[in-house]
């Protein structure tokens, strides 16, 4: 008896399973943690502004 071939991306059918496949949550990518990116931008902005303030006070 030959075994049936299942494509790589599919799960073979299970005997006696009554559960249905659930939809997986989409990957959020870089938007998964937006607070991290906002904090990173704010810290960078404060550092750049601090550089210019230091240059003005130094003159």
């Amino acid at each position: 008896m030959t075994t049936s071939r299942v494509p790589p991306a599919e799960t073979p059918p299970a005997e006696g399973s009554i559960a249905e496949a659930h939809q997986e949550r989409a990957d959020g990518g870089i938007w998964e943690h937006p607070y991290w990116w906002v904090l990173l931008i704010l810290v960078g902005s404060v550092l750049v502004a601090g550089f210019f303030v230091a240059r003005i006070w130094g003159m």
Side-chain angles (χ1 to χ4, degrees):
M1 185 166 149
T2 62
T3 58
S4 63
R5 298 190 181 252
V6 177
E10 295 184 19
T11 305
E15 294 180 15
S17 175
I18 59 171
E20 293 184 12
H22 63 280
Q23 289 285 19
E24 291 200 20
R25 191 170 146 270
D27 181 23
I30 77 165
W31 305 113
E32 189 73 32
H33 302 287
Y35 294 115
W36 163 253
W37 295 108
V38 170
L39 179 67
L40 190 65
I41 291 169
L42 286 175
V43 167
S45 300
V46 167
L47 286 175
V48 171
F51 171 76
F52 285 106
V53 168
R55 292 274 317 247
I56 290 171
W57 282 349
M59 291 184 152

